[in-house]
Amino acid sequence: MLPFSSGAQLPTTAAAYPFVSSNKPFTYLSSGTPVTFGNWDDGYVQNIPIGFPFTFCGVPYTTVTAHTNGYMCFGNNTNMYLGASQSAMQYMAPAVIAQWHDAYGQNASTTPVTYTTIGTAPNRVFILEFKNWGTCCSPSFYISYQYILHEGGAVEILYDQVGSGNFPSYAAVGIARNQNDFQMLPNLSASPTPNSTTWVACGGGRPATGQSYLWGLIPCTGTPEFEVTGPTQVCPGKPFSLSVSGTGIISGLTFQWESSNDGTTWNTIMGATTNSISDVITTPMWYRCNITCTNSGLSYTTQPWKISIADFMFCYCDNGAATATGLDIGNVTLIEQSIYKPKSDTILNNGVASPPSGNATANKTYTTFQHTLPPIVMYRDSVYRISVSRITSAAAPIKDANVTVFIDLDRDGVFDVTDKVMQTQINSLSLIADTEVDTFQIPMSAEIGLTGMRVVLRGAPNNADSCGFSGEGETEDYIVDMRYEPCSGPVNPGNGQATDTSICAGYDYIVLDTTYEKKKSELQRFWQVSGDNVYWSNITASTDKDTLMRVFGGQPLYYRVRMICQATDDTTYSDPVLVNAKAGYKCYCYSQSMGGANDSSDIGGISVGPYTVYTGGPHVLNPDANRKRTDHTDDTPMILDVDSTYSLVVYHTQRSIEHADAKITIFMDFNNNKQYDVPYERVFTGYTGIGNFTIADNVTIPSTVITGLETGLRVVLNNDLTPNIPSDEACGPYSSGETEDYIVKFERRLFPAGVNAANAISSFGMYPNPTKGKFVLQFASAAAFDNVDVTVANITGQLVYNNTYKHNGGQFSQEINLTELPRGVYMVTLSAGGEKQIQKLVIE
């Protein structure tokens, strides 16, 4: 009578079962974990892989049951016994060498064992404790083993011990819920004495309990927090599987799989409602599973699992033998014969060729070493000696075999006829028994990089083709690292350069060297730095890098590349490149965009009066709009006259297809104090739009500037339109845009020049601008005016402010409050002494 039905849910604890509590702990194992077997006295270890074939009384079982004749057996009908001259137990093992032990625990002999499968239901878990006594040798002893089988047939021995007695034989069966919650059936107190010379299986001497127990599924509780497992790279068009690990022994779970081609937008996979899924893809894909516990009503979404498309060298056409028994590849050896390496340099020696016949390991159809062996390094124009041996599971004589070796020389993902480097037959006439040897040369046209090598062996008369399945034999796949011929002496290290050789502290720059020798291998390059061009030190993490990004700290530095031919230890150096500090008067506060993918805008050109700097390119879709900052301070200074008015033009260009508005601010260091004092020295603020991506305005050079000295002019284009320090105060980093720095010099002339020269009024300005509504209007004039008219109009021409002031000569300054006006752009007109000047005012 079964205590519960097959597939039934387990109660909350294992104590609900009619078992005796056990204090022997065990651990659940996952598929692929080695299991350790230990003997009673000498401590030998034998690793048994999880998933080994298992039979119960000669029949595949998924549960522990009583045999029909009333006896319980464990193992194979012919392989569980006690020998006439040795006292030993035949351990469970998957076609491996079983260990025999005499009465003193010494190895006496070995024999192979095979078992059949455990069945199709991997969610059965049971514990078996088997004890036996024997007296064929003195002293008598017993060995006690406890096994845990789970996850498709996993086995673990929990304990063993030595004792003496009157040869009882008994078994105990248990059930496990987790590693701390399991029970055993009571051990049988006694049993008939087994045959003293032979243990028979299923019918000779091991009485069963007379009961059968099935292991059920554990009901889910709480939030089902499981995760997806499976491959991370697959070949295009090849099927693969994913699963939610750990759910095979849990009941009450529902599943719904989703997929995404970007990891963000998810689509339900119709019909994918189990804990595993199979699919085929040709582009990268993300997967996740929504899991719900019906008992608790709680759900969980697994972390996204990305599967990428594997490189071509892992994805050649399917190939293999049609039958597993018979011929196999024994050993593959590659020896380099070129002048670049010693002839004794073996670059591949894989597999065992002995014994050639009756070899139990000759049971494969296809084997890949693409992931388990490092790539085989080969060189253009080099000669190689290759040998391939054959083995067979059959008795001698060995069947003749055809062997073909392909190397994908053009790296096109196909083993073409021109990729065939060996094709021959291994027969009784081979010079080396069961082995064939050949030589081949890698052509100079071979593509450089990782590629595939395939060794195909088939029983004659089958032709060894690169694709498909036929006959008996085996296919092996390897990865080759194809390289240029090795260097044989000093090589050209190239010419180093720097994106900036004169730079201010805090700014980044790039040193680069791309002109070095590229068609030789076995070279090592790394960067060195020096403060005096005498003592050099290596730069960390710079090996084999063409470019290095550095941040200038203010100290002049020299850079060079050291090139070493590793085959000869010859060393060469590139000419030093000096990155020097820029003159102090050209260095203002740090200002530049962050760069990278989010940096979409640049300054395409500016003009200040007669001076124009034009980078070029369209307004949108400009691939060159990727600069963070451009330093023009080494260009010829702009000469601007005091009390003169000049036009300002800034052109906005960007990489994206759609326009993005930008804020443009221009600064001039009028007082030459090496900083931009705002608002006085912020001479312009404007905004680009989809219809006005070229901004134009005027600037008047005030009479109060410092003349005759070179000073700074800065233009900032920032996609951040809000009030911000990098735009409004000329200092600091920002996300997207560009900063350009120039040098200007102010001069005094008898007759000022400009687009709107003022005879009586000069230095007309307003600050702050933009403003929240309040601003200060100022100008200078030697003359006195009874009527200084100030009017403000909106962009439609409507007059919104009008007032008249008196000026007694000299500097004029007046605060005006327009806080009641709405946000927008306004034109401010100043009229005095018969002259008129107009400037733009922005109210935010």
Side-chain angles (χ1 to χ4, degrees), residues 86-106:
Q86 290 129 0
S87 174
M89 178 180 178
Q90 176 66 67
Y91 305 116
M92 295 186 299
V96 299
I97 302 300
Q99 302 289 333
W100 290 44
H101 295 264
D102 60 21
Y104 300 98
Q106 305 300 313

Side-chain angles (χ1 to χ4, degrees), residues 36-46 87-89 91 99-107 141-145 157 159-162:
T36 301
F37 275 31
N39 195 33
W40 58 276
D41 61 349
D42 62 359
Y44 87 95
V45 173
Q46 178 175 307
S87 174
M89 178 180 178
Y91 305 116
Q99 302 289 333
W100 290 44
H101 295 264
D102 60 21
Y104 300 98
Q106 305 300 313
N107 290 334
F141 71 98
Y142 76 85
I143 309 174
S144 174
Y145 299 94
I157 292 183
Y159 76 96
D160 49 44
Q161 62 188 40
V162 178

